[in-house]
Amino acid sequence: MLHLTTGRVGCLLSKQAVVALTSSGARMSSHGHHEVSDSVDMSQPMYWDRLDTPLPDRPWKDVLDSTDKSLKQKEKGPWTALSKEEKIALYRLKFNHTYPEMKRPSHEWKTVIGGMFIFFGITGLVVFWQGHYVYPPQPHTFGEEWQAKQIQRMLDMRINPIEGFSAQWDYKNKQWK
Amino acid sequence: FSPVGKMFRAVVRLSTSGVRSLARIRPCYSAPLASRCYSHAKVETDEEFDARWVTYFSKPDIDAWELKKGMNTLIGYDLVPEAKILDSALRACRRLNDLASAIRILEAVKDKSGPHKDIYPYLIQELQPTLIELGISTPEDLGMDKL
């Protein structure tokens, strides 16, 4: 019996997943203002910039124009014959970002902290509005006079006379210790 | 439920038969302290590890895939490769006419050193003869170590 229900739940989840995928696919194709789709073709060798995997499956620039091709030809010869610019060009053909570029800091934290504070602020406004418009009036027992009488009564009853409340009251001089 | 019941009954039987039968049972924790439960596999020494990788990159007809696989695996390890391994890898790049990957390897090694800023300059110093011979410029030479 347990077997059947887990199967049913699994089926439901997969249905939801399929719906999510198809709907996102629909959304992507509706962007339509550029030819290249946002989704990556996973059946082809991929390029990546990863610190822990320095050499990706394919070079950054696959389609080489004539200058690139002639540079690649020159690369087959002694590298001492290459100028610095050519070496940099060869690197940029094969790789997109350098390691420092991969490790560049982003300004995302400002968005995160800023967003946090905005939400705190909105919550604060909601709480304030709630306190003003939603909460019923405070019970009469919160009033100054009532509280004073309450404290006097507690002292008269000797509430926690050893270590607690009444222990803090100096009965002789009628003041707090 | 029935196997548990049988077990329980077996235990009861054991306790009632007396101390004599218990003596026959030797639980494994009473074994002498000298034997540990470590694997008996041979641990590769650092020299063997280095030699293995130098040999890997020294393959004369190494192909681009093998270079990629080797480098990506090596960088995946929790260590900075020795200069001799990197030398072998750089020479493999030369055989494959791939200067970009050679520079990439140097970048990766610098990144692997993490907070230990003295490893990379040491390795460059060790690799200087090879770098000069093959004409490999370091990322610093090309100004690629800055953003």
Side-chain angles (χ1 to χ4, degrees):
Chain A
M1 202 165 77
L2 195 69
H3 211 61
L4 252 172
T5 48
T6 50
R8 282 234 180 103
V9 169
C11 187
L12 193 71
L13 285 172
S14 68
K15 271 195 197 142
Q16 283 180 336
V18 166
V19 166
L21 277 171
T22 50
S23 64
S24 70
R27 263 186 273 122
M28 280 183 167
S29 61
S30 71
H31 282 158
H33 50 268
H34 48 77
E35 309 84 7
V36 182
S37 77
D38 285 325
S39 52
V40 181
D41 183 2
M42 299 293 280
S43 67
Q44 299 298 314
M46 282 177 67
Y47 177 82
W48 57 72
D49 276 318
R50 281 186 66 111
L51 297 173
D52 60 1
T53 324
L55 303 177
D57 284 341
R58 69 160 177 85
W60 173 238
K61 264 183 88 175
D62 259 344
V63 254
L64 305 174
D65 61 17
S66 51
T67 23
D68 299 332
K69 283 186 186 153
S70 58
L71 188 58
K72 289 300 258 184
Q73 272 300 108
K74 203 174 171 192
E75 196 183 12
K76 293 181 182 171
W79 292 338
T80 41
L82 295 165
S83 71
K84 281 195 184 171
E85 290 74 24
E86 287 176 323
K87 289 180 184 176
I88 295 172
L90 280 168
Y91 184 95
R92 291 293 181 185
L93 278 178
K94 200 147 213 267
F95 301 109
N96 181 18
H97 287 310
T98 65
Y99 266 62
E101 284 165 6
M102 272 191 252
K103 294 169 86 162
R104 73 192 179 282
S106 84
H107 298 281
E108 191 185 6
W109 69 273
K110 294 176 194 167
T111 311
V112 171
I113 301 288
M116 267 170 60
F117 286 142
I118 287 171
F119 278 107
F120 290 162
I122 294 169
T123 310
L125 287 172
V126 169
V127 167
F128 175 76
W129 177 88
Q130 206 178 39
H132 196 271
Y133 287 104
V134 177
Y135 289 170
Q138 273 198 337
H140 61 99
T141 53
F142 278 68
E144 278 290 337
E145 222 186 285
W146 188 282
Q147 282 288 316
K149 287 186 195 165
Q150 184 174 305
I151 290 169
Q152 184 58 57
R153 182 152 188 256
M154 282 168 75
L155 289 169
D156 294 341
M157 284 200 283
R158 304 292 193 275
I159 295 292
N160 294 337
I162 300 150
E163 300 251 352
F165 191 76
S166 303
Q168 308 298 325
W169 180 258
D170 185 350
Y171 282 92
K172 210 171 353 156
N173 301 320
K174 297 224 169 90
Q175 61 185 14
W176 290 109
K177 286 184 185 166
Chain B
F1 295 103
S2 47
V4 175
K6 279 196 190 124
M7 259 167 61
F8 182 72
R9 265 183 267 125
V11 165
V12 168
R13 234 185 293 130
L14 211 62
S15 60
T16 52
S17 61
V19 185
R20 279 177 287 135
S21 57
L22 277 171
R24 261 184 267 133
I25 300 150
R26 289 230 179 278
C28 67
Y29 52 75
S30 73
L33 279 166
S35 91
R36 301 275 185 205
C37 297
Y38 294 157
S39 151
H40 293 294
K42 204 166 80 76
V43 178
E44 190 181 48
T45 66
D46 288 350
E47 293 75 22
E48 286 168 343
F49 176 87
D50 293 345
R52 192 161 54 83
W53 276 100
V54 167
T55 312
Y56 178 88
F57 286 118
S58 305
K59 186 173 155 198
D61 54 346
I62 193 172
D63 66 27
W65 185 93
E66 285 172 341
L67 172 69
K68 272 189 272 141
K69 177 67 182 171
M71 271 323 300
N72 291 339
T73 309
L74 190 60
I75 295 295
Y77 293 150
D78 183 19
L79 50 86
V80 181
E82 279 282 345
K84 56 169 115 73
I85 302 176
L86 297 172
D87 174 86
S88 187
L90 293 174
R91 288 181 189 282
C93 289
R94 173 64 268 190
R95 292 198 293 286
L96 288 162
N97 300 319
D98 191 351
L99 174 64
S101 294
I103 302 171
R104 190 73 153 184
I105 289 170
L106 295 176
E107 282 190 306
V109 155
K110 182 178 184 183
D111 181 61
K112 267 316 266 191
S113 317
H116 305 280
K117 299 279 181 231
D118 49 348
I119 297 180
Y120 178 69
Y122 162 75
L123 283 171
I124 293 296
Q125 181 197 310
E126 292 291 307
L127 289 169
Q128 269 304 94
T130 309
L131 295 177
I132 292 170
E133 180 199 327
L134 299 178
I136 301 171
S137 301
T138 65
E140 290 71 33
D141 289 339
L142 300 172
M144 283 175 16
D145 59 328
K146 307 274 178 290
L147 273 171

